[in-house]
């Protein structure tokens, strides 16, 4: 067996050149198996799964109602973020902040990136993984850098938009939006009422006769 020889003064490399993508826990793997059956299984298999709309979707952590599944997905995403920072990040600005669980916008995106990388790694060709490298990962990093803007480089920072969000959900603004919704509904009703046809309407009952929809009389 041939080996790669280094210089005599260079110590042997004890770490692998690349590390495998982290696999999720058993509960999440079961969730993926059920989703695969829902997508490609027989009618009987799909029926056995119950309401397909209620199946947990690991790429959408909010859909995981069972506490154990949620804990598993957090553990998996923790492993994935560590793996991404180690395997793909060269410049410090592309690092996923260690406080990522305190940033919902990151949690949502990391879950999708992890799901897509898992699927790409299981494909029978390299096409999906090339797409992930070319589009999914760089786009995620660009969005993350644009949204975070280095706020958490030296430690987690408070949400810059917190004050504006408080105004968004304040009573004054909520009531103002509700008034706009109600006005739109009333406008739509008035528009539909004005478009209602006036006068007797005829409904054809055969080729020679019609029925007046107001009186019920048959008209020649």
């Amino acid at each position: 067996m041939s080996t790669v020889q280094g210089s005599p003064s260079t110590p042997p490399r004890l770490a692998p050149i690349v590390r495998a993508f982290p696999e999720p826990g058993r509960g999440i793997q079961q969730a993926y198996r059920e989703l695969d059956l829902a997508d490609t299984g027989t009618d009987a298999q799909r029926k056995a799964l119950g309401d397909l709309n209620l199946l947990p979707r690991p790429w959408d952590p909010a859909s995981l109602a069972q506490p154990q599944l949620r804990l598993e997905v957090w553990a998996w995403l923790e492993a994935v973020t560590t793996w991404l920072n180690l395997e793909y990040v060269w410049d410090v600005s592309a690092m996923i902040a260690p406080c990522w669980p305190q940033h919902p916008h990151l949690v949502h995106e990391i879950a999708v990136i992890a799901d897509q990388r898992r699927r790409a790694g299981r494909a029978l060709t390299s096409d999906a993984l090339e797409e992930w490298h070319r589009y999914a990962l760089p786009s995620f990093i660009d969005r993350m850098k644009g949204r975070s803007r280095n706020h958490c480089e030296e430690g987690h920072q408070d949400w810059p938009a917190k004050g504006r969000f408080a105004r968004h959900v304040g009573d004054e603004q909520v009531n103002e939006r509700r008034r706009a919704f109600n006005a739109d509904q009333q406008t739509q009703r008035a528009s539909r009422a004005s478009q209602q046809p006036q006068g007797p309407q005829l409904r054809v009952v055969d080729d020679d006769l019609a029925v007046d929809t107001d009186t019920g009389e048959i008209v020649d």
Side-chain angles (χ1 to χ4, degrees):
M1 179 182 296
S2 62
T3 59
V4 178
Q5 300 294 330
S7 64
S9 60
T10 302
R13 182 185 180 95
L14 300 179
I17 294 177
V18 294
R19 292 161 179 80
F21 178 73
E23 287 294 326
R26 292 182 178 179
I28 298 300
Q29 291 183 25
Q30 177 62 27
Y32 273 119
R33 283 193 290 269
E34 292 179 351
L35 289 166
D36 288 340
L37 287 176
D39 184 35
T40 62
T42 64
D43 290 341
Q45 289 172 326
R46 290 164 58 89
K47 184 177 181 180
L49 294 173
D51 188 348
L52 301 184
N53 293 320
L54 299 180
L55 292 178
R57 292 155 169 79
W59 59 87
D60 182 10
S63 70
L64 307 180
Q66 299 178 25
Q68 181 59 35
L69 281 180
R70 289 178 76 95
L71 187 60
E72 280 196 23
V73 84
W74 300 141
W76 182 39
L77 297 186
E78 168 69 2
V80 170
T81 56
T82 301
W83 179 81
L84 286 171
N85 281 339
L86 180 62
E87 295 290 305
Y88 283 92
V89 175
W90 178 256
D91 185 78
V92 64
S93 65
M95 292 283 291
I96 300 174
C99 55
W100 65 266
Q102 301 177 59
H103 295 271
H105 65 96
L106 289 181
V107 175
H108 288 299
E109 295 225 40
I110 291 170
V112 173
I113 285 292
D115 172 73
Q116 292 182 343
R117 176 58 179 81
R118 175 188 173 276
R119 293 178 183 276
R122 290 171 176 264
L124 298 181
T125 71
S126 65
D127 293 347
L129 190 55
E130 196 275 339
E131 290 285 315
W132 189 84
H133 282 139
R134 182 188 293 267
Y135 300 111
L137 184 61
S139 295
F140 160 69
I141 292 175
D142 287 344
R143 290 193 300 270
M144 178 186 67
K145 291 165 65 175
R147 293 170 181 173
S148 299
R149 297 185 182 278
N150 303 325
H151 284 298
C152 296
E153 280 190 350
E154 303 301 328
H156 178 67
Q157 303 296 316
D158 288 337
W159 186 17
K162 183 177 181 179
R164 185 164 293 185
F165 179 76
R167 177 171 172 263
H168 175 84
V169 297
D171 291 343
E172 180 180 354
Q173 295 299 320
V174 169
N175 291 333
E176 183 65 28
R177 290 194 295 273
R178 286 175 177 170
R179 284 192 290 270
F181 301 153
N182 291 333
D184 177 79
Q185 181 188 43
Q186 293 171 7
T187 301
Q188 185 67 10
R189 286 178 175 174
S191 176
R192 292 184 63 182
S194 67
Q195 294 175 8
Q196 292 295 325
Q198 304 297 321
Q201 300 299 306
L202 301 181
R203 176 169 57 87
V204 176
V205 294
D206 60 30
D207 293 338
D208 300 318
L209 301 177
V211 175
D212 188 317
T213 57
D214 290 334
T215 65
E217 297 179 352
I218 295 177
V219 180
D220 291 337

